[in-house]
Amino acid sequence: MTFNEKYKDNVLLLKSFEFSLNIINYAEDLQAKKKFVLANQILKSGTSIGANAKEAQNAESKKDFIHKLKIALKEADEVE
């Protein structure tokens, strides 16, 4: 079962996964232009968004869920 099939009803996870794939491609383009520091930071922050969103799905409480999504938002702000 693919990621898209498994999470087909979860728009947040689908969009953050798609964003991560786009970030990986962009980071590769930056590396080709020898922009290594920028590529590394964008890669870490950009892919972290989906990881934190996924982690929020298994939150222990509503407060924990919100906290994990706020971390994802902070990572998104870094990529912006």
Side-chain angles (χ1 to χ4, degrees):
M1 179 177 290
T2 67
F3 185 90
N4 287 345
E5 292 169 341
K6 186 173 183 179
Y7 297 106
K8 66 181 178 188
D9 296 327
N10 192 321
V11 175
L12 175 63
L13 293 184
L14 290 175
K15 292 292 184 181
S16 61
F17 182 73
E18 181 180 321
F19 183 75
S20 292
L21 295 177
N22 289 331
I23 284 293
I24 291 166
N25 289 330
Y26 183 53
E28 288 174 351
D29 290 344
L30 289 172
Q31 287 176 339
K33 295 177 182 176
K34 301 193 185 311
K35 306 286 185 184
F36 301 114
V37 174
L38 184 58
N40 262 352
Q41 184 58 42
I42 286 177
L43 184 63
K44 288 178 185 178
S45 296
T47 56
S48 175
I49 297 166
N52 284 298
K54 177 72 173 84
E55 192 172 324
Q57 304 303 300
N58 298 314
E60 296 177 12
S61 65
K62 184 177 180 179
K63 186 176 179 180
D64 187 36
F65 176 79
I66 292 168
H67 175 71
K68 289 177 186 341
L69 287 183
K70 283 185 177 182
I71 293 170
L73 179 59
K74 286 180 184 181
E75 296 295 340
D77 286 342
E78 279 191 40
V79 175
E80 184 178 46

